[in-house]
Amino acid sequence: MTSTSPYDQTLAALDALHAEDPRRVTVDGESLPMELWHAGRMSAWLERLDASPDELVRLAVRGQHLQRWQVPRSDYPEGRVGYLTWRRDQGKRAGETTAALMREAGYPEEAAEQVARMIRKQGLGREAGTQAVEDCACLVFLENYFADFSKQIDHDHLIRIVQMTWKKMSPQAHALALGLPMTAEARALVEEALAG
């Protein structure tokens, strides 16, 4: 029997949980659990942001959206405070679960806690790992959700969301975001937000 590394064991455990997402998305004719697909997009962006990310950053990026479907946004009050509370709680849950999987796989406590901090977005703007998690999340949003999102929210609110998202991103993530294929409407919104 071949032994797997703590990294491989944790990654497999994360993806097994991602695969439990009952929501589905069709990609290239294949139906996938939405969260598993999302985690794959997060990892793909990390590879573009950093040619050789360390394994703790890889695990934090992969675990960032973990089991998010279990606590829907609708369980929290409408508005910004409700959204921020939901997002904070999701980060705490995902961080705790990822850290527990890491400990089970043989990682030391310090490594597990470091990944949990990245997932909770602690040290944003100061810690490279936390910044990588945020950059990947913003790029996945802009690449996959922004166009639909922009049809549901009034113009001025949308401009503020783009501006707030942009502030949280690194210069490298800005360059990647500007290279994304976008509809003419979406690109006009981004350009307006950045000019403001």
Side-chain angles (χ1 to χ4, degrees), residues 73 78-81 83-84 141 146 149-165 189 192-193:
R73 169 67 183 94
E78 286 298 312
R80 181 165 167 73
V81 172
Y83 169 73
L84 293 174
F141 167 73
F146 179 65
F149 192 71
S150 66
K151 295 172 188 153
Q152 303 164 23
I153 294 191
D154 76 76
H155 180 83
D156 291 346
H157 186 192
L158 195 58
I159 294 296
R160 285 193 303 277
I161 288 170
V162 172
Q163 290 168 339
M164 288 187 296
T165 300
L189 280 165
E192 181 183 344

Side-chain angles (χ1 to χ4, degrees), residues 4 25 41 43 55 117 133 152 163 165 176 183 187 189:
T4 58
V25 61
R41 292 307 309 140
S43 293
E55 64 185 51
R117 280 195 310 273
V133 172
Q152 303 164 23
Q163 290 168 339
T165 300
L176 288 170
T183 65
R187 186 159 300 279
L189 280 165

Side-chain angles (χ1 to χ4, degrees), residues 105-178:
Y107 276 102
E109 181 59 37
E110 313 83 73
E113 182 49 38
Q114 186 179 345
V115 167
R117 280 195 310 273
M118 288 184 231
I119 291 173
R120 290 191 305 261
K121 311 275 182 73
Q122 289 177 285
L124 186 59
R126 299 184 312 277
E127 301 287 334
T130 302
Q131 188 62 57
V133 172
E134 185 64 39
D135 283 346
C136 292
C138 291
L139 286 162
V140 169
F141 167 73
L142 290 169
E143 175 190 42
N144 300 287
Y145 304 111
F146 179 65
D148 288 340
F149 192 71
S150 66
K151 295 172 188 153
Q152 303 164 23
I153 294 191
D154 76 76
H155 180 83
D156 291 346
H157 186 192
L158 195 58
I159 294 296
R160 285 193 303 277
I161 288 170
V162 172
Q163 290 168 339
M164 288 187 296
T165 300
W166 206 256
K167 275 186 208 160
K168 294 186 287 187
M169 295 165 69
S170 69
Q172 189 180 5
H174 290 159
L176 288 170
L178 290 172

Side-chain angles (χ1 to χ4, degrees), residues 5-108:
S5 69
Y7 172 79
D8 289 335
Q9 202 174 318
T10 305
L11 192 65
L14 285 171
D15 283 353
L17 291 177
H18 288 317
E20 293 175 3
D21 187 352
R23 302 166 304 163
R24 307 295 288 188
V25 61
T26 302
V27 180
D28 297 329
E30 183 183 359
S31 177
L32 299 168
M34 184 180 284
E35 192 175 282
L36 184 62
W37 166 80
H38 183 98
R41 292 307 309 140
M42 290 285 289
S43 293
W45 277 114
L46 180 61
E47 299 302 322
R48 292 186 63 189
L49 280 164
D50 185 343
S52 56
D54 75 41
E55 64 185 51
L56 298 185
V57 175
R58 289 175 190 263
L59 291 174
V61 163
R62 196 70 169 197
Q64 187 259 342
H65 241 243
L66 191 61
Q67 297 179 310
R68 199 167 264 210
W69 78 88
Q70 291 185 350
V71 182
R73 169 67 183 94
S74 58
D75 286 2
Y76 287 74
E78 286 298 312
R80 181 165 167 73
V81 172
Y83 169 73
L84 293 174
T85 304
W86 171 76
R87 202 175 72 186
R88 183 203 63 216
D89 290 352
Q90 290 283 21
K92 186 171 182 273
R93 285 176 67 251
E96 286 170 358
T97 303
T98 302
L101 295 173
M102 290 175 68
R103 286 190 291 271
E104 286 168 28
Y107 276 102

